[in-house]
Structures are given as C-alpha cells and as structure tokens.
Amino acid sequence: MTVDNEKAIRAIVKSHVESYASGFSDRHIQEYDDDEGTINMKIHNVFIAALGADIQYYSALSRSLDSSLGNMLEKMAINIASLHYTVSQHVEGNIYKEQTEYIADILEEYKRHARKPLISDYIGITKKTQKDIINKRHESDYYLIDEETDMHYLIELKIGGDLDNKKARSEKEALLEQYCILTNSLGSEDKVKICFATAYNRYGEDKPWKQGRVLQFFSEDELKIGRDFWNMVCKTDNGYEIVLDEYKKNAHYIIDALNRIKKVYLPNA
C-alpha cells in the first residue's frame, strides 16, 4: 500500500460520507409535508406513537438510516475496489445442464445438513459437460478481476450478513452458477473464487462468524467478514483500518445531517 493509494481510498470514503450526509438530510427535510415521505410513511404506527413523539420519530428514522447507510457503503466499496481491480456487476456465458443439476444436488444436501459446505464440493465441476448447454446472465454484487494475478472474485455482499435459509440457498446457487460460467469461459477453475462478504462483523470484529443460516450453505473459507472484506477491496492488509479511520473522521457530517432533520421533525426537542 503506497501513500498515494491510501490517499485515494481516504478521498473516496470522505467523498461518499459527505455526499451521503447531504443527500440524506435534504431528502428527509423535503419530505416533511409529503404523506408518502420515508419518515411519514412509518410514523403513523399507532402502537409506536403511543410510546411518545421522540420514540415514534427515532424509530422511523433509524430504519431509513440503516438501509440507506448500507447502500452507501456498498457503492463506496465498489469505488474503492475500482482502484485495484477491474469491476463488473454481471456475469454472462454458457453453463451446462449437468452443472446446474449438480449444484441443485449439493444445495439440497446442505439444506438437509447431510453435507457441510466445502470449497472442494465444486472443484471439478467444469468436467460436467455432457448435457445441454444454456446461455445465462447473472447480476452480481461484485465481480472483481485482479489484472496482476488474473484472479477472478465473485462476491455476494450483505452489509450485516443477515440471511434467512431461503436467501442463503439462492445466493449460493447464484454464485455457483456464476462460478461455472466463468470457469467454463476461462477453461480453468484455478483463477476463480466465490465469497460471501459483510461490511462488518455483527458479532464483533475478530470474533467468529456464527450465523448458522450462512454457515449451512457457505464454507468458512468462502467468508470475507468485516476486516477481511475491506482488506480485500482495498487490496492491503490495513484497508479496514484506513476505511474505518477515515469514516470516523467524517462521521460528523452525518451527525450534522441528523440534527438538521431533527430540528424539522422535532422542533421543540
């Protein structure tokens, strides 16, 4: 990691936080008299309203903040990754029916807890090419190509990593199909990796990832949790520290935005 690269990462983080804060406050303030506004759509829950105006307001705002902040982090990560990788958000190409059938079989075994997920489960899948060929396109969260090593990374990002059983299965299925499409095209499985990633560890950074619904379908070797994810997109072992440090330095923009919104919705608070 050169000084210039660190400066570039910090500039991206700062820019995204500033832009997010401005847009978040402007949008909610402009929606004050709009019955279809983000906060107004949620403050009419009479059961929350009975708890008081403050709780009613903060309950509605926190949901909006959590969702929109997650979207900002996803876009920020893509921009940072673009410094070091060729970034795409879709995969298209050929996949064989035999491969999709094999994927369905191992996913069913995961579902029944008959098999513990391992990367070795799909090694050799490019040899399953006896049945009909299908052209398919998948939208992906992150498809990163490292031009220096010719490695291809397919990443499914969930900000906090919360997946129910149905989603965990469908996300793994999509990643495995993308894996097949890429490896069929490249003619090699050695240069493609799939990952399930989160922007932070909901159990605490450096603590084991314990969500059973994720581990039912993803092996631990496929996980990029918190620090590992940011280090990967920043392509440095201290990427997480750089991103978090710069975010904290600029968090006051978001705090100021929240205070501006509060003055409009709770002028007497």
Side-chain angles (χ1 to χ4, degrees):
M1 169 61 71
T2 66
V3 173
D4 286 344
N5 279 338
E6 179 174 339
K7 285 183 177 179
I9 292 170
R10 288 184 180 276
I12 289 173
V13 174
K14 185 176 189 293
S15 173
H16 274 266
V17 172
E18 286 184 335
S19 177
Y20 167 76
S22 175
F24 187 79
S25 63
D26 289 348
R27 175 166 63 90
H28 286 87
I29 290 171
Q30 290 170 5
E31 292 177 348
Y32 177 71
D33 292 318
D34 183 359
D35 289 338
E36 301 294 324
T38 304
I39 294 178
N40 291 335
M41 285 283 286
K42 297 175 181 178
I43 64 174
H44 298 299
N45 182 331
V46 294
F47 301 100
I48 296 295
L51 304 178
D54 283 6
I55 292 177
Q56 181 185 29
Y57 164 75
Y58 286 117
S59 174
L61 185 66
S62 65
R63 295 175 206 165
S64 178
L65 178 66
D66 186 54
S67 175
S68 59
L69 187 60
N71 292 334
M72 183 275 282
L73 291 173
E74 289 188 20
K75 294 174 183 177
M76 186 175 78
I78 288 176
N79 282 357
I80 292 173
S82 298
L83 295 172
H84 312 289
Y85 303 91
T86 299
V87 179
S88 178
Q89 289 188 280
H90 76 272
V91 172
E92 185 173 8
N94 295 327
I95 186 171
Y96 292 85
K97 185 178 180 182
E98 189 177 0
Q99 294 173 336
T100 61
E101 290 173 343
Y102 179 74
I103 289 171
D105 288 342
I106 61 174
L107 291 176
E108 184 61 27
E109 291 185 36
Y110 294 161
K111 180 182 177 182
R112 294 187 285 106
H113 297 280
R115 183 195 292 230
K116 181 179 179 180
L118 297 170
I119 290 177
S120 58
D121 292 341
Y122 49 88
I123 298 301
I125 200 169
T126 51
K127 297 177 182 178
K128 299 181 182 296
T129 57
Q130 301 302 311
K131 296 187 179 180
D132 297 341
I133 194 169
I134 307 164
N135 186 270
K136 201 163 188 178
R137 176 186 171 106
H138 272 284
E139 302 303 320
S140 56
D141 285 347
Y142 297 82
Y143 168 27
L144 309 181
I145 304 173
D146 187 333
E147 302 289 353
E148 294 181 357
T149 63
D150 196 30
M151 285 298 300
H152 298 244
Y153 300 95
L154 295 164
I155 304 172
E156 176 62 32
L157 174 66
K158 297 297 178 188
I159 293 299
D162 191 16
L163 277 177
D164 61 27
N165 283 330
K166 186 176 181 180
K167 281 190 175 181
R169 175 173 178 156
S170 63
E171 300 291 7
K172 185 61 177 282
E173 179 181 33
L175 282 171
L176 286 174
E177 289 193 357
Q178 291 174 63
Y179 177 87
C180 287
I181 290 169
L182 276 181
T183 54
N184 289 340
S185 174
L186 295 171
S188 170
E189 297 180 28
D190 297 334
K191 297 294 185 178
V192 182
K193 291 185 179 181
I194 64 176
C195 306
F196 173 82
T198 72
Y200 67 93
N201 188 336
R202 59 186 292 192
Y203 301 102
E205 201 54 54
D206 297 322
K207 290 186 178 180
W209 184 261
K210 301 181 294 185
Q211 194 189 24
R213 290 184 293 261
V214 171
L215 296 176
Q216 184 178 357
F217 289 92
F218 291 88
S219 75
E220 292 186 6
D221 292 332
E222 293 169 332
L223 302 183
K224 293 291 182 183
I225 305 299
R227 174 179 279 107
D228 290 339
F229 169 69
W230 291 108
N231 287 353
M232 181 181 188
V233 296
C234 293
K235 208 176 180 183
T236 175
D237 290 340
N238 62 337
Y240 174 75
E241 284 75 19
I242 293 170
V243 169
L244 191 58
D245 179 65
E246 191 62 28
Y247 179 86
K248 288 179 178 178
K249 287 180 179 178
N250 293 279
H252 63 89
Y253 290 111
I254 299 176
I255 294 171
D256 291 343
L258 294 174
N259 286 332
R260 289 195 296 273
I261 299 169
K262 181 180 177 182
K263 287 180 180 178
V264 172
Y265 284 85
L266 295 175
N268 298 320

